[in-house]
Amino acid sequence: MTADRRDFLKGIGATALGVCAFSCGDKQEAERIAGAAQQIDPSDLTWGKAPCRFCGTGCGVEVGVKDGRAIAVRGDEKSPVNRGLLCVKGYHLPGFLYGKDRLTHPLRRQSDGSFKKISWDEALDLVAQKYKEALAAHGPESVSIYGSGQWSVFDGYAALKWIKGGMRSNNIEPNARLCMASAVMGFVTQFQSDEPMGCYDDFEAADDIVLWGHNAAEMHPVLFSRMLESKRKRPGVRIIDLGTRRTPTTDYADMYVEFRPGSDLALANGILHLIVKNGWVDEAFVKENVVFRRGIEDLKTIGYGCYGKNAERYGFKDKAKPSSFAELKTFLDDYTPEKVSRISGVPVAQIEALGKLYGDRSRGTVSTWCMGVNQHSRGTWMNNLITDLHLITGKISKPGSNPFSITGQPSACGTVREVGTLANRLPADMVVMKKKHRDIAEEIWGVKPGTIPKKPGYHAMDLFRAWSRGDVKVMWVQTTNPWMTIPHLSRIEERHGDDQFLVVSDMYPTPTTDRADLILPAAAWIEREGVFGNTERRTQQWDRLVDPPGEAKEDAWQFIQVAKRMGMDHLFPWPDDNWHEPMWEEYRKFTLGRAKDVASYKQLRETRGLRWPVIDGKETRYRYAAGHDPYVKKAKGVHFYKAKGYGEKAAFWLRPYHPPAEEPDNEYPFWLCTGRVLEHWHSGSMTRRVKELHQAVPEAYVELNRADATELGVKDGDTVRVASRRGSLELTVHVDRRGRPPRGSVFVPFFDEGRRINLLTLDAMCNISKEPDYKKCAVRIERV
């Protein structure tokens, strides 16, 4: 490793300044603020705490307010997450609030396609009318809500309660289906409870950190800085980067392992093969804590959800059957290092090195992953296999030894996974398919028994297919931009029917608001009170620090007001000026006694967040671990007490290699991978309105290998056409810049609404989680 943590922090745009003035879309305002920033005295500002608005790390920030505006931000030194450090997006946080095209009033589409300003009363009455009409004419399956891992807990809980407890529909889905659903199903299938057992303290405790397709240097730079700092203090720490292209993370890794797209399934099985063959299994741990399971493995039976009979509604359901360690040994015979090397392109020596790393029980091992594993046509299988590596070696629920899924959005855990804003879920690991769970929810909500339907609603991919068919009549989209982010966009690109109604709540105009019948202006981040839950189970609260612009309102308020207009006042019985804390305490009832215990609102206000389960005011660092988790009564070791269906043991799943849904051929000879970049957040609707971030990376591009560029007759800065079987885009070529793909592969980021790469992507999806695969499809490159 040639670079140290100081170099890394400079590279990500971190600054030694404690206070950074923000930028904004309005040039005159930006210049005024920039001038004032030179004379900022922090003591002249009123400071308030909040978690960062962007990724799932959950960094703590302090926002400086003066004259009703947020004019400065600094890393919160009291936050145990980031300890005062921020990434480049964090240092420009308040800037996204002040773009010149901010939505400030409700807007209704007119017959000529234009939009007309209307009052909130008119807008809310209209939304209530459309939902009532659809329910009366077509039933509960015709209405829907599409939300976000960027919702606060209040937004998600209000949406869930209204649609499931009021409208009796399970058609609620988040954009987190597109990013974290495979991690959810990985944990659920193995522990019968979602979310990691470890925490960020693992990065200081681990001896080896293995990043599976996780470009942490760009996607989670503050966490990556903690890894580098641990390595600086303990030079024996090793960082292993497994990926399909070289990234900034590779530059800091002790070993880079490059595998062919989709072959990570074979690679993980190859590592397991070596662990078993060489006697590196922790037999005592496995005997006490592990059962073996196997599911449906036939490729034709499973499919990919994008072809043939699965192309409209993909409802494959896995069926588990008991397995054994003996069967595992036979299963793994097929994954020799030599065969795995042929499939994956990884040298045998590197496969063997990975086997030794996981098999060495004298060293703690943490595996991290994010979208590279989750956005995968066998994403749940890959989650299972990574966790299998930890189960079979006993490297789990220990400081410095854990499988650790890293979240992409600020409250994908707190709002989506914990509140349960998915078509099949309820809060605290409960699901609509179980009567006992429905009974609990109906009792807490005070609704009649039988109100919540037992049939799950449409998962996100099927929801948008149902919308494009006209089966769903009303959809309300909040805090996300699906007409940028749904794969194979042409399937939903057409204008919807006259009998359908699309409501969009957002801060700014987007490709999604362009298709709306009604646009509602949303209050964002510190313009409203909120709660987020981050990757390490830390729940964080913030107060409203500034007023929203114009008539913008918080998302939860919008839901509540429409529900009341539909005669559902009983769902939200709290005063209009004091409902956040009582709503939180109602939601908290779901978690208490279920090992999901979140802290009281009072505690959250007084702290920089607490990691659940919170018992007697104390947080839990490590789930299932004796001495850490208060639900574990054993004196030592682990107890997977949530897994009742497995005899309170964890399930080790046998999962085979399957090829990707689409691979390069003579007509489309390149792999396409998509993803994010350091400077931009998701579809760019916020970060592209921050001048410095937009100037740093103003448009999407295509990364090409130098040899491929030479063969194509193009060079860095040229324009090429990237085409798939679904669409094409013209993009600027990047050669040997930040990311460096191998021959035969290209990478394109998805933040640029002028260059929507999801017109090209394939809508294949994980057979279990139904999360789409954005990382693998076939394209060709043409000179322009």
Side-chain angles (χ1 to χ4, degrees):
M1 190 175 77
T2 59
D4 63 15
R5 182 172 183 262
R6 184 185 300 271
D7 294 330
F8 171 69
L9 296 179
K10 288 179 180 178
I12 66 168
T15 167
L17 294 177
V19 179
C20 298
F22 70 85
S23 61
C24 61
D26 185 295
K27 182 178 180 181
Q28 290 183 336
E29 181 68 2
E31 291 174 349
R32 183 186 72 78
I33 294 295
Q38 304 302 316
Q39 304 167 13
I40 287 177
D41 181 347
S43 63
D44 289 340
L45 306 180
T46 300
W47 293 89
K49 71 174 177 75
C52 179
R53 174 58 181 79
F54 294 123
C55 83
T57 300
C59 291
V61 302
E62 292 184 293
V63 182
V65 176
K66 187 174 184 179
D67 299 327
R69 293 177 67 87
I71 67 168
V73 66
R74 62 191 179 195
D76 187 350
E77 294 181 359
K78 295 180 181 178
S79 169
V81 172
N82 54 309
R83 305 161 184 173
L85 178 67
L86 296 175
C87 76
V88 66
K89 289 190 295 295
Y91 280 119
H92 291 89
L93 256 172
F96 82 85
L97 297 174
Y98 300 111
K100 61 184 178 181
D101 57 344
R102 184 75 188 267
L103 296 170
T104 57
H105 298 86
L107 300 170
R108 182 176 183 181
R109 185 182 294 276
Q110 304 299 295
S111 58
D112 63 359
S114 64
F115 283 95
K116 177 184 177 182
K117 185 190 303 184
I118 62 174
S119 71
W120 267 109
D121 280 335
E122 290 175 293
L124 297 169
D125 287 345
L126 179 61
V127 177
Q129 174 193 333
K130 293 296 182 179
Y131 272 102
K132 287 192 290 186
E133 288 175 352
L135 287 167
H138 305 285
E141 288 196 3
S142 70
V143 298
S144 65
I145 297 172
Y146 186 66
S148 173
Q150 299 161 62
W151 260 344
S152 80
V153 168
F154 299 117
D155 306 326
Y157 186 71
L160 182 82
K161 189 177 184 183
W162 173 44
I163 195 166
K164 297 193 178 189
M167 291 190 285
R168 303 188 177 201
S169 172
N170 285 325
N171 281 342
I172 178 172
E173 275 286 288
N175 63 2
R177 177 73 71 177
L178 313 182
C179 64
M180 293 308 299
S182 296
V184 173
M185 293 312 299
F187 286 119
V188 168
T189 54
Q190 296 191 277
F191 306 99
Q192 297 191 329
S193 179
D194 185 23
E195 297 200 50
M197 55 289 299
C199 63
Y200 297 157
D201 299 351
D202 281 328
F203 300 135
E204 283 78 37
D207 300 302
D208 297 312
I209 302 172
V210 184
L211 297 97
W212 286 83
H214 178 204
N215 179 15
E218 285 195 273
M219 303 304 104
H220 300 93
V222 170
L223 296 184
F224 194 62
S225 77
R226 288 181 61 165
M227 300 177 197
L228 295 183
E229 180 67 0
S230 180
K231 184 173 177 61
R232 184 187 70 81
K233 292 179 177 179
R234 297 185 298 134
V237 171
R238 298 179 296 191
I239 297 174
I240 314 301
D241 178 29
L242 287 77
T244 58
R245 79 191 226 278
R246 291 177 177 269
T247 68
T249 301
T250 312
D251 298 336
Y252 301 90
D254 295 275
M255 180 168 71
Y256 171 60
V257 180
E258 187 170 282
F259 58 89
R260 293 192 184 104
S263 67
D264 43 1
L265 291 158
L267 180 58
N269 277 311
I271 299 169
L272 287 168
H273 170 97
L274 291 168
I275 291 171
V276 171
K277 178 183 177 182
N278 292 311
W280 294 329
V281 176
D282 188 335
E283 293 181 3
F285 180 90
V286 171
K287 183 177 180 180
E288 182 180 355
N289 299 294
V290 177
V291 298
F292 293 86
R293 293 291 185 269
R294 200 162 183 173
I296 297 172
E297 297 172 4
D298 178 67
L299 177 56
K300 290 184 178 179
T301 301
I302 296 170
Y304 293 103
C306 57
Y307 301 122
K309 66 180 181 180
N310 294 322
E312 276 304 317
R313 186 158 189 169
Y314 186 45
F316 170 82
K317 293 183 180 179
D318 201 16
K319 293 181 180 179
K321 62 181 181 180
S323 187
S324 65
F325 183 71
E327 187 174 16
L328 172 67
K329 291 176 69 174
T330 302
F331 172 84
L332 292 174
D333 285 344
D334 197 38
Y335 292 95
T336 63
E338 292 75 18
K339 181 173 180 179
V340 169
S341 180
R342 290 194 296 272
I343 295 171
S344 67
V346 177
V348 168
Q350 284 195 324
I351 299 170
E352 291 175 341
L354 288 169
K356 290 177 182 177
L357 184 152
Y358 276 101
D360 185 350
R361 279 182 270 156
S362 70
R363 294 176 65 85
T365 304
V366 170
S367 302
T368 74
W369 67 95
C370 196
M371 299 306 106
V373 166
N374 293 332
Q375 292 176 338
H376 192 309
S377 58
R378 297 294 180 263
T380 303
W381 287 12
M382 262 314 298
N383 273 265
N384 290 157
L385 287 170
I386 294 172
T387 299
D388 285 349
L389 291 168
H390 288 264
L391 287 172
I392 204 164
T393 55
K395 293 185 174 185
I396 193 166
S397 289
K398 300 175 182 178
S401 279
N402 279 301
F404 202 169
S405 162
I406 306 298
T407 312
Q409 299 186 80
S411 202
C413 286
T415 302
V416 174
R417 298 164 74 168
E418 292 160 28
V419 173
T421 57
L422 294 126
N424 63 323
R425 286 172 73 88
L426 293 164
D429 279 340
M430 294 192 287
V431 292
V432 300
M433 298 84 78
K434 293 187 177 182
K435 185 179 186 302
K436 180 180 177 181
H437 294 175
R438 298 196 303 275
D439 290 346
I440 291 170
E442 287 163 352
E443 181 179 358
I444 291 174
W445 289 344
V447 298
K448 294 179 180 179
T451 294
I452 302 170
K454 66 180 180 181
K455 179 184 175 182
Y458 294 109
H459 60 77
M461 295 302 296
D462 279 354
L463 175 63
F464 280 93
R465 293 174 182 181
W467 174 258
S468 66
R469 293 194 305 268
D471 294 346
V472 171
K473 301 300 181 183
V474 182
M475 181 186 291
W476 192 343
V477 175
Q478 284 194 347
T479 326
T480 188
N481 190 6
W483 269 264
M484 274 280 286
T485 57
I486 295 293
H488 193 175
L489 267 174
S490 59
R491 289 190 70 159
I492 63 168
E493 190 72 354
E494 295 298 322
R495 170 74 185 156
H496 52 272
D498 292 339
D499 63 340
Q500 293 175 283
F501 196 78
L502 178 63
V503 186
V504 180
S505 300
D506 213 324
M507 297 174 62
Y508 291 108
T510 68
T512 302
T513 63
D514 288 347
R515 286 152 180 81
D517 296 290
L518 180 67
I519 302 171
L520 301 178
W525 193 40
I526 56 169
E527 297 169 349
R528 40 79 56 87
E529 190 172 334
V531 172
F532 282 162
N534 79 346
T535 295
E536 63 166 353
R537 297 172 281 107
R538 183 179 299 277
T539 311
Q540 301 184 82
Q541 185 273 347
W542 75 93
D543 290 327
R544 177 169 165 168
L545 302 180
V546 298
D547 291 335
E551 298 178 10
K553 303 288 186 182
E554 69 176 287
D555 294 327
W557 179 91
Q558 298 177 27
F559 285 137
I560 292 168
Q561 296 306 311
V562 171
K564 289 182 175 181
R565 282 165 167 77
M566 294 176 68
M568 300 176 188
D569 307 56
H570 60 286
L571 296 177
F572 305 102
W574 310 294
D576 286 343
D577 60 351
N578 182 29
W579 53 268
H580 291 90
E581 184 167 356
M583 180 185 283
W584 174 264
E585 294 302 331
E586 179 184 280
Y587 159 62
R588 185 170 175 245
K589 292 177 183 177
F590 283 93
T591 71
L592 299 180
R594 299 187 61 84
K596 292 276 185 170
D597 313 62
V598 293
S600 70
Y601 207 64
K602 182 176 184 293
Q603 284 178 292
L604 294 178
R605 270 213 158 105
E606 295 170 349
T607 64
R608 261 49 176 186
L610 292 169
R611 292 171 285 201
W612 58 260
V614 179
I615 306 296
D616 297 329
K618 297 179 181 179
E619 67 177 359
T620 300
R621 292 169 68 211
Y622 294 97
R623 297 178 77 193
Y624 313 127
H628 289 279
D629 187 338
Y631 281 90
V632 174
K633 305 308 178 186
K634 296 168 65 173
K636 61 180 182 179
V638 303
H639 180 199
F640 299 115
Y641 53 84
K642 293 283 285 185
K644 306 295 185 186
Y646 302 139
E648 300 190 359
K649 295 183 179 184
F652 181 112
W653 284 85
L654 285 65
R655 299 298 196 186
Y657 165 71
H658 277 183
E662 182 176 87
E663 298 184 84
D665 55 20
N666 290 335
E667 187 177 3
Y668 296 92
F670 287 87
W671 288 106
L672 168 66
C673 177
T674 68
R676 290 201 291 117
V677 295
L678 169 67
E679 293 82 359
H680 287 294
W681 171 245
H682 278 203
S683 65
S685 59
M686 293 181 288
T687 49
R688 293 186 76 209
R689 287 166 171 89
V690 178
K691 182 179 67 174
E692 286 82 357
L693 299 178
H694 177 61
Q695 288 178 341
V697 186
E699 62 183 36
Y701 50 84
V702 55
E703 293 175 356
L704 269 178
N705 179 274
R706 179 169 292 279
D708 286 332
T710 299
E711 189 172 286
L712 289 164
V714 299
K715 62 184 183 300
D716 186 84
D718 286 352
T719 300
V720 296
R721 182 177 296 107
V722 182
S724 76
R725 290 177 173 85
R726 292 156 293 280
S728 65
L729 287 178
E730 292 188 4
L731 296 160
T732 301
V733 172
H734 282 196
V735 176
D736 290 343
R737 297 205 203 178
R738 187 182 301 179
R740 289 146 289 164
R743 289 212 68 175
S745 289
V746 301
F747 172 86
V748 179
F750 72 89
F751 68 86
D752 186 351
E753 69 179 46
R755 299 163 181 82
R756 294 184 294 157
I757 191 60
N758 282 314
L759 289 166
L760 279 66
T761 50
L762 180 67
D763 52 349
M765 66 188 88
C766 171
N767 54 318
I768 297 173
S769 71
K770 309 305 187 286
E771 178 171 341
D773 189 335
Y774 293 88
K775 304 300 182 182
K776 297 175 285 295
C777 72
V779 297
R780 64 171 177 259
I781 310 297
E782 304 169 349
R783 294 177 60 182
V784 175

